[in-house]
Amino acid sequence: MRRNQQKIAASRTVAAMAFLLNAIVLEQGLVSHPRWYNIAYITFPLMLIYVIAFRKQLYRQQGLRIDNKQNVKQ
């Protein structure tokens, strides 16, 4: 059996978990009790941080600059 040689970034998994956690918090706030929305002050910025980090990593892998001033493949 061959080993998987592909490198998988952990930021994708963490970003997906942050999305899931944010969805659970919003759903519980709507259905269960509005006090759950207080947790969104933590989960929403956390989700944004991981999404921004994931986008930077994706651009870096493609050899693109984020500010689009000079998109040159390396």
Side-chain angles (χ1 to χ4, degrees):
M1 186 181 220
R2 297 185 78 201
R3 222 176 133 187
N4 187 2
Q5 300 296 327
Q6 232 177 354
K7 292 183 180 180
I8 298 174
S11 63
R12 291 182 186 180
T13 306
V14 175
M17 289 178 64
F19 272 114
L20 182 63
L21 183 62
N22 204 22
I24 290 170
V25 166
L26 292 176
E27 186 263 339
Q28 285 297 316
L30 182 67
V31 174
S32 178
H33 198 279
R35 225 182 290 161
W36 276 85
Y37 288 125
N38 292 335
I39 300 172
Y41 291 122
I42 298 169
T43 60
F44 190 72
L46 182 69
M47 181 184 64
L48 287 178
I49 289 169
Y50 281 110
V51 166
I52 291 170
F54 173 67
R55 285 189 58 182
K56 283 184 181 180
Q57 179 186 11
L58 187 64
Y59 280 121
R60 206 174 300 128
Q61 286 176 352
Q62 293 176 355
L64 300 173
R65 287 181 53 148
I66 294 173
D67 56 3
N68 286 330
K69 287 185 180 176
Q70 194 177 24
N71 292 331
V72 178
K73 292 273 184 181
Q74 294 176 354

